[in-house]
Amino acid sequence: MANLIEIKNLHARIGEKEILKGINLTVNEGEVHAIMGPNGSGKSTLSAVLVGNSAYEVTEGTVTFMGKDLLKLLPEERSWLGLFLSFQYPIEIPGVTNVNFMKAAVNEHRKYKNLPPLSAAEYLKLMRAKMGIVEMDPSFSSRGVNVGFSGGEKKRNEIFQMAMIEPKLSILDETDSGLDVDALRIVANGVNKLKNSGNGYILITHYERLLDYIVPDFVHVLYNGKIIKTAGKELAVEIESRGYDGFIKESEK
Amino acid sequence: MKDLKYIFKDDGGFRCGVPLMDSRQVVITDGVINRMDATGDYIIKNPDGAFSLSLQDGRRPSGSIQIVKVLDNPGSSAKSDNYITVGKESSSRMLLCYHTMSEAAYSSVEKVHVSIQENASVVLTVMQNQNSRSDCEFGLVADLAQGASLKLNLITLSGGETRNRPSINFTGEHAGCEVNGLYLADGSQKIDTVVNINHMVPYCKSSQLFRGILNGKAVTKFNGVIYVAKDAQKTEAFQANNNLLSSEQARAYTQPHLIIYADDVKCSHGATVGNLNEDELFYLRSRGISLEEARQLQQQAFAYGVLSKIDNVELRRELEIMTAKRLRGELTGCMACVKG
């Protein structure tokens, strides 16, 4: 099982406010990690820092992804290497159609791999197949990216993009938030279909519910910018019944 | 967006290959008609380096008529008063193209007087694609009689110094106009637009959408005047001007003017000048789209807000492609112009 990402003592801040205070996390191929934690613990900051959001400044620590120093790379280079973030709040881009967006993305990935761009017919075939994974209607392809999409449709669109790009490591930032049971099942099924022994997942979530569908190998509790506890799937069940308080008090002893 | 290079050279057999499967073409080079298809219902004359085009009452030709005005002889300057008359109950689709044929400096003062008579409707697309050394003043004055309608698409792909002066006058009630403008400027190009919409009579509607994309050290000015006379009750008039600055040094000025003397009207305006949207850029890049490509997609999307208003799918597609090429600095002349 090859190593995908190794995060060591990662510190990051936004403005003067330090949010990540020494994160250590390693994800290997084939693994699913869940990161849970109360609001404001740094979950979304962690995902933003990993994909290169320039609003955050890394002050200490290292991140090695696919053998490379991730923190030195541009956001697009991180994507080419195989990193993907399913946004908690996907951005709407009026005027750019989903099809032009994804065609540009897929072809840039192919260029990086020294492959020729897909022909229109090849792209269409690929797109149809991947849309099927998240039960998305092909009519979405001609609409502006996320424009007028419901919350559930936006999240499905994120997973569709993930399916098109076939990343090595995907971070799903609260992909379950705002989804009804049916949408949650479709999204989770999509992820399960894409999961294999060669890729890895980090699921950021508030609720155990998602983890009933996508079963994690590890559950981490993030609090105040640090991982304070790591265990198996059973930890999520425990959090659901007891809340975070107990773990927080234990960690502060 | 880089400076355009005009490599295209006319060899006398100029023909525009764009458009419109069903279009009839008239090509006027340095003021002289040098090519004219059978013009069907239209009557075309060529006085003093200008054109005069008329469509008689009740005529509704199915296709478009395209007038291509090219400046070819280096250093030539042109000054012309042109006329378009569309008779009662008629309907017409027109495309008016302005080109320079070499990298030489040209100057032109072009006026187009449009008269749209009772219940006639006109869709007029003006496409300006001139080199960075050209100086062009384009005035359009349209008078709309009762029940007349005008849709004016004013697309400025390139020009050295361009002064566009469209004016619409409502002279009869229940007339309407829609004006869609797109201007692209880069290098040290200057585009100055003054729009006058004069609501002199009641029950007319006007709407304007102008968008500009600026690169390099380009400077654009937009001045939009909506005048509503005292008696022009029940007027509806809207105006929007949005500018996208894709470089630090580009400057866009925008100034809406609403002069309203009637008291029962709906009028509004909105003007914006902004940069590329950072959140959108980041989202695109996170999917592996390079910064340069993400910027292109965003600019094309911004332009599409105007181009999407063009109903003729064929023409819209051509203009989309030309706009995309232009934004990449790849457009050398009007790519659809072919020698033949």
Side-chain angles (χ1 to χ4, degrees), chain A residues 133-153:
Chain A
I133 290 175
V134 283
E135 301 176 29
M136 225 170 134
D137 191 291
S139 67
F140 278 91
S141 63
S142 56
R143 290 171 55 180
V145 176
N146 293 321
V147 178
F149 287 28
S150 71
E153 286 162 353

mmCIF file of all heavy atoms in Angstrom, chain A residues 133-153:
data_model
loop_
_atom_site.group_PDB
_atom_site.id
_atom_site.type_symbol
_atom_site.label_atom_id
_atom_site.label_comp_id
_atom_site.label_asym_id
_atom_site.label_seq_id
_atom_site.Cartn_x
_atom_site.Cartn_y
_atom_site.Cartn_z
ATOM 1 N N ILE A 133 -22.920 7.559 -12.773
ATOM 2 C CA ILE A 133 -22.481 7.160 -11.440
ATOM 3 C C ILE A 133 -23.220 7.928 -10.345
ATOM 4 O O ILE A 133 -23.510 7.404 -9.286
ATOM 5 C CB ILE A 133 -20.945 7.358 -11.313
ATOM 6 C CG1 ILE A 133 -20.230 6.321 -12.198
ATOM 7 C CG2 ILE A 133 -20.482 7.238 -9.863
ATOM 8 C CD1 ILE A 133 -18.733 6.482 -12.270
ATOM 9 N N VAL A 134 -23.515 9.203 -10.613
ATOM 10 C CA VAL A 134 -24.246 9.986 -9.611
ATOM 11 C C VAL A 134 -25.680 10.294 -10.070
ATOM 12 O O VAL A 134 -26.320 11.221 -9.565
ATOM 13 C CB VAL A 134 -23.513 11.312 -9.269
ATOM 14 C CG1 VAL A 134 -22.340 11.034 -8.352
ATOM 15 C CG2 VAL A 134 -23.063 12.039 -10.522
ATOM 16 N N GLU A 135 -26.169 9.502 -11.030
ATOM 17 C CA GLU A 135 -27.544 9.628 -11.519
ATOM 18 C C GLU A 135 -27.863 11.075 -11.906
ATOM 19 O O GLU A 135 -28.889 11.628 -11.539
ATOM 20 C CB GLU A 135 -28.541 9.118 -10.466
ATOM 21 C CG GLU A 135 -28.295 7.659 -10.114
ATOM 22 C CD GLU A 135 -29.220 7.155 -9.001
ATOM 23 O OE1 GLU A 135 -30.345 7.677 -8.873
ATOM 24 O OE2 GLU A 135 -28.814 6.229 -8.281
ATOM 25 N N MET A 136 -26.950 11.682 -12.653
ATOM 26 C CA MET A 136 -27.139 13.073 -13.080
ATOM 27 C C MET A 136 -27.696 13.089 -14.488
ATOM 28 O O MET A 136 -27.248 12.341 -15.337
ATOM 29 C CB MET A 136 -25.772 13.766 -13.080
ATOM 30 C CG MET A 136 -25.752 15.122 -12.456
ATOM 31 S SD MET A 136 -24.028 15.625 -12.280
ATOM 32 C CE MET A 136 -24.169 17.266 -12.884
ATOM 33 N N ASP A 137 -28.656 13.956 -14.712
ATOM 34 C CA ASP A 137 -29.253 14.050 -16.037
ATOM 35 C C ASP A 137 -28.273 14.758 -16.984
ATOM 36 O O ASP A 137 -27.712 15.797 -16.639
ATOM 37 C CB ASP A 137 -30.548 14.855 -15.921
ATOM 38 C CG ASP A 137 -31.356 14.768 -17.199
ATOM 39 O OD1 ASP A 137 -30.912 15.331 -18.237
ATOM 40 O OD2 ASP A 137 -32.412 14.122 -17.160
ATOM 41 N N PRO A 138 -28.064 14.206 -18.200
ATOM 42 C CA PRO A 138 -27.117 14.835 -19.139
ATOM 43 C C PRO A 138 -27.447 16.298 -19.460
ATOM 44 O O PRO A 138 -26.573 17.053 -19.871
ATOM 45 C CB PRO A 138 -27.231 13.981 -20.391
ATOM 46 C CG PRO A 138 -27.718 12.665 -19.913
ATOM 47 C CD PRO A 138 -28.595 12.941 -18.725
ATOM 48 N N SER A 139 -28.700 16.703 -19.233
ATOM 49 C CA SER A 139 -29.063 18.092 -19.532
ATOM 50 C C SER A 139 -28.275 19.081 -18.657
ATOM 51 O O SER A 139 -28.151 20.250 -18.999
ATOM 52 C CB SER A 139 -30.559 18.315 -19.339
ATOM 53 O OG SER A 139 -30.889 18.191 -17.977
ATOM 54 N N PHE A 140 -27.744 18.595 -17.538
ATOM 55 C CA PHE A 140 -26.951 19.469 -16.677
ATOM 56 C C PHE A 140 -25.684 19.960 -17.377
ATOM 57 O O PHE A 140 -25.129 20.982 -17.014
ATOM 58 C CB PHE A 140 -26.545 18.747 -15.389
ATOM 59 C CG PHE A 140 -27.627 18.749 -14.353
ATOM 60 C CD1 PHE A 140 -28.546 17.712 -14.281
ATOM 61 C CD2 PHE A 140 -27.720 19.789 -13.452
ATOM 62 C CE1 PHE A 140 -29.549 17.718 -13.342
ATOM 63 C CE2 PHE A 140 -28.723 19.809 -12.496
ATOM 64 C CZ PHE A 140 -29.647 18.768 -12.446
ATOM 65 N N SER A 141 -25.233 19.203 -18.374
ATOM 66 C CA SER A 141 -23.949 19.538 -18.989
ATOM 67 C C SER A 141 -23.994 20.864 -19.736
ATOM 68 O O SER A 141 -23.000 21.537 -19.866
ATOM 69 C CB SER A 141 -23.499 18.417 -19.914
ATOM 70 O OG SER A 141 -24.425 18.287 -20.963
ATOM 71 N N SER A 142 -25.179 21.242 -20.214
ATOM 72 C CA SER A 142 -25.242 22.477 -20.989
ATOM 73 C C SER A 142 -25.585 23.678 -20.113
ATOM 74 O O SER A 142 -25.675 24.799 -20.594
ATOM 75 C CB SER A 142 -26.267 22.332 -22.111
ATOM 76 O OG SER A 142 -27.509 21.977 -21.561
ATOM 77 N N ARG A 143 -25.756 23.429 -18.825
ATOM 78 C CA ARG A 143 -26.072 24.551 -17.922
ATOM 79 C C ARG A 143 -24.793 25.164 -17.363
ATOM 80 O O ARG A 143 -23.749 24.544 -17.317
ATOM 81 C CB ARG A 143 -26.974 24.057 -16.789
ATOM 82 C CG ARG A 143 -28.370 23.729 -17.306
ATOM 83 C CD ARG A 143 -29.246 23.033 -16.297
ATOM 84 N NE ARG A 143 -29.387 23.750 -15.047
ATOM 85 C CZ ARG A 143 -30.124 23.309 -14.027
ATOM 86 N NH1 ARG A 143 -30.775 22.168 -14.138
ATOM 87 N NH2 ARG A 143 -30.196 23.996 -12.913
ATOM 88 N N GLY A 144 -24.897 26.406 -16.919
ATOM 89 C CA GLY A 144 -23.761 27.072 -16.280
ATOM 90 C C GLY A 144 -23.335 26.277 -15.059
ATOM 91 O O GLY A 144 -24.183 25.701 -14.374
ATOM 92 N N VAL A 145 -22.045 26.257 -14.770
ATOM 93 C CA VAL A 145 -21.517 25.462 -13.664
ATOM 94 C C VAL A 145 -22.230 25.833 -12.356
ATOM 95 O O VAL A 145 -22.132 26.973 -11.893
ATOM 96 C CB VAL A 145 -19.996 25.684 -13.502
ATOM 97 C CG1 VAL A 145 -19.471 24.934 -12.279
ATOM 98 C CG2 VAL A 145 -19.255 25.240 -14.754
ATOM 99 N N ASN A 146 -22.969 24.882 -11.838
ATOM 100 C CA ASN A 146 -23.679 25.015 -10.555
ATOM 101 C C ASN A 146 -24.756 26.100 -10.518
ATOM 102 O O ASN A 146 -25.349 26.334 -9.465
ATOM 103 C CB ASN A 146 -22.700 25.254 -9.386
ATOM 104 C CG ASN A 146 -21.821 24.042 -9.137
ATOM 105 O OD1 ASN A 146 -22.283 22.914 -9.222
ATOM 106 N ND2 ASN A 146 -20.557 24.266 -8.853
ATOM 107 N N VAL A 147 -24.996 26.767 -11.629
ATOM 108 C CA VAL A 147 -25.952 27.872 -11.614
ATOM 109 C C VAL A 147 -27.375 27.331 -11.548
ATOM 110 O O VAL A 147 -27.796 26.559 -12.406
ATOM 111 C CB VAL A 147 -25.795 28.771 -12.862
ATOM 112 C CG1 VAL A 147 -26.840 29.885 -12.856
ATOM 113 C CG2 VAL A 147 -24.397 29.351 -12.910
ATOM 114 N N GLY A 148 -28.073 27.720 -10.510
ATOM 115 C CA GLY A 148 -29.444 27.266 -10.329
ATOM 116 C C GLY A 148 -29.544 25.817 -9.875
ATOM 117 O O GLY A 148 -30.634 25.246 -9.858
ATOM 118 N N PHE A 149 -28.425 25.211 -9.502
ATOM 119 C CA PHE A 149 -28.464 23.840 -9.007
ATOM 120 C C PHE A 149 -28.955 23.860 -7.556
ATOM 121 O O PHE A 149 -28.614 24.768 -6.793
ATOM 122 C CB PHE A 149 -27.060 23.196 -9.011
ATOM 123 C CG PHE A 149 -26.521 22.836 -10.379
ATOM 124 C CD1 PHE A 149 -26.903 23.510 -11.516
ATOM 125 C CD2 PHE A 149 -25.610 21.799 -10.509
ATOM 126 C CE1 PHE A 149 -26.393 23.186 -12.758
ATOM 127 C CE2 PHE A 149 -25.091 21.461 -11.748
ATOM 128 C CZ PHE A 149 -25.481 22.155 -12.873
ATOM 129 N N SER A 150 -29.711 22.851 -7.162
ATOM 130 C CA SER A 150 -30.076 22.718 -5.753
ATOM 131 C C SER A 150 -28.840 22.257 -4.991
ATOM 132 O O SER A 150 -27.831 21.854 -5.598
ATOM 133 C CB SER A 150 -31.191 21.695 -5.599
ATOM 134 O OG SER A 150 -30.675 20.402 -5.840
ATOM 135 N N GLY A 151 -28.932 22.299 -3.655
ATOM 136 C CA GLY A 151 -27.811 21.854 -2.825
ATOM 137 C C GLY A 151 -27.366 20.442 -3.183
ATOM 138 O O GLY A 151 -26.176 20.167 -3.335
ATOM 139 N N GLY A 152 -28.352 19.569 -3.363
ATOM 140 C CA GLY A 152 -28.040 18.172 -3.686
ATOM 141 C C GLY A 152 -27.403 18.038 -5.060
ATOM 142 O O GLY A 152 -26.475 17.254 -5.254
ATOM 143 N N GLU A 153 -27.912 18.828 -6.019
ATOM 144 C CA GLU A 153 -27.362 18.765 -7.384
ATOM 145 C C GLU A 153 -25.917 19.246 -7.411
ATOM 146 O O GLU A 153 -25.082 18.703 -8.136
ATOM 147 C CB GLU A 153 -28.234 19.603 -8.329
ATOM 148 C CG GLU A 153 -29.556 18.923 -8.657
ATOM 149 C CD GLU A 153 -30.610 19.869 -9.222
ATOM 150 O OE1 GLU A 153 -30.378 21.103 -9.246
ATOM 151 O OE2 GLU A 153 -31.671 19.376 -9.613
#
